[in-house]
Structures are given as structure tokens and as C-alpha cells.
Amino acid sequence: MNIDLHCHSTTSDGLLEPSAVVARAAANGVAVLALTDHDDTGGLAAARAEAGARGMGFVDGVEISVSWQEATLHVVGLRIDPDSVRLRTGLEWVRSTRIQRAERIGEALERAGVRGSLEGALAYVGNPEIISRTHFARFLVESGYARDVKNVFQRYLVKGKPGYVEHRWASLGDAVSWIRASGGVAVIAHPGRYGLDSAELKGLIAEFKACGGAGIEVVTGSHTPTQYREFAGYARQFDLLASRGSDFHGDAGSRADLGILPPLPGDLKPVWHDW
Ligand code: AMP
Ligand code: MN
Ligand code: MN
Ligand code: MN
């Protein structure tokens, strides 16, 4: 079964409206899709309606921004209830800190000689509560500061570069508890992207499981095929449910398209085993 449990729409930093994400997934042969916008569930109703009209399976999801030790991590919640008060209240708080961070990014870029970036980024935003580095990146590319989004992150928006600001997101325990309180299952998103060594990854997984987390992304558009094998190993070793998702953002060039990645290794227990 072609199941894709990680992607983005204009509700966060994707380029396609929620219904258009579903239409594209259908065209690519996806049978079950989860929309997992950053820190916001506002696109789920439209996506679910579109999926229903097409007879496609749909899973309510979210991708929560987390600070763990010195790292920023993402935790995906699947089969969440977007009406859960605890989840909603938590996400509202995370979104409010995004706006404050964006002002600091704008100031930092101003000091680096980039003018008007907050207003510029806001012009790319689809949801005024979710302004992300992706929106700054699109503005910087459009303004000629770098040739593409990947390049602009490397030069301006990652740790140590002029447009990067420190920020405290949700704690790991809070993110997992909001997901679980809403009836969802918590999954560590793209664990290969955080630059953690194996001791740190083991520490993260132990803490994640102690908080009630259950799954890990193995096959994702943010991993290389070598990392599929590496994180399949972690799933086996730590008895984690395995997930598969493109992390599609609409700009098909920069990451995997919906539903095209290889299946999970057959011996892993998929996160959807009991759905
Ligand atoms: P934020 O949550 O505002 O810090 O933005 C994070 C988002 O930026 C991620 O979800 C990705 O979509 C995007 N992103 C992060 N790093 C990169 C990168 N090196 N190249 C392209 N996009 C990136
Ligand atoms: Mn993103
Ligand atoms: Mn992510
Ligand atoms: Mn994502």
C-alpha cells in the first residue's frame, strides 16, 4: 500500500493548498495520506474533505517544533484530534513564539545588510501564524541573495550564519504529551537530519520512549538510502514503529515528491499496523 505520512501545505511552509496536496497525492497513487503541517492543524479539514471526495484514506497529522538539549527536532503526531484542547493550546503557544522569532530573524538579517526581510518573508506566508525560515529563504532567493533555497539556508539561515537566531520551541515531553492527549501517536521526524551521533540518538530515543513516544521515520525524503538502513536499525533495536513520508513541500525539486519513496523494510512494524 502506498502510504505517505509526512507533507506540508500553505498552512505552514508548503507551496500548495491542502486540497491541492491531496490531489497531487492521488495523482501519484497514494492510498493513505497524512498532512503534517508545522505547528498548525488548520489545513486538515479541507484536506480530509478532498481525500474523502476522492476515496483516499486520510490521517490527521501535525509536525511539532521541539527543542531538545542544544538541538531543534521535529516530532510528527499522527491520528491526532485537531479539536483536542491540550493540543490546540500547545500549538497556539508554539505559533505565538514563531512570530516573535521572525522579528528577531528580520533584525539579524538587517544587521547583515538585508533590508525588509520580515515584510518580504510575510509576502510568502500562507498562514499569518506560521512564518518560517522557508519564507525568509524564498524572499532571499527572490531578492538575489542566493541562487536557490538550499544555498540560502547554508549562507544565511543555519546556526552560525547571520540570519540564524536561537529559539526555544516546545519541550520533547510537552510535544509528545499533547499528541497523546489528542489520541495520536508520536513519531520522531527525519532523525538523520539533526547531526546527532549515535550516543545522542540513543539518548533521544530513550527519552522519547519514556515520554510515551512510539515511532520513528525511516524512509523519508529527508534521508538518504544509507540512512533508511541506519534508522531501520534503530527501529529494530529500540522496538519503535516505523514510518514513511515524503516531507513534500510543493517544490518538487528540493525534496521527494508525494508517494514515490521506496517501501519500508518488510520486517519493521509500520506505524499503521493497527489502523
Ligand atoms: P523553521 O521551522 O522556521 O525553523 O523552518 C524549518 C523549515 O525550513 C523546515 O521544515 C524545512 O522545510 C526548511 N529547511 C530547513 N533546513 C533547510 C535546508 N537546509 N534547505 C532547505 N530547506 C530547509
Ligand atoms: Mn518545512
Ligand atoms: Mn521537519
Ligand atoms: Mn516536515
Side-chain angles (χ1 to χ4, degrees), residues 173 180 183 190 247 250:
R180 281 169 49 93
H190 43 64
D247 209 356

Side-chain angles (χ1 to χ4, degrees), residues 6-8 12-14 36-38 63 74 98 132-134 138 153 190 193 247-249 255:
H6 188 148
C7 66
H8 298 272
S12 63
D13 58 350
T36 56
D37 275 307
H38 298 288
E63 182 176 19
H74 290 167
R98 271 191 180 275
S132 90
R133 283 184 292 162
T134 308
R138 289 181 186 143
F153 267 88
H190 43 64
R193 241 178 60 186
D247 209 356
F248 178 72
H249 281 68
R255 275 203 205 86

Side-chain angles (χ1 to χ4, degrees), residues 29 33 81 112 118 124-125 129 132 148 164 175 181 193 197 211 231 235 246 263 266:
L33 181 74
D81 174 4
L118 179 59
Y124 287 89
V125 156
E129 294 190 22
S132 90
D148 57 27
Y164 183 84
R193 241 178 60 186
D197 64 26
C211 297
F231 290 98
S246 57

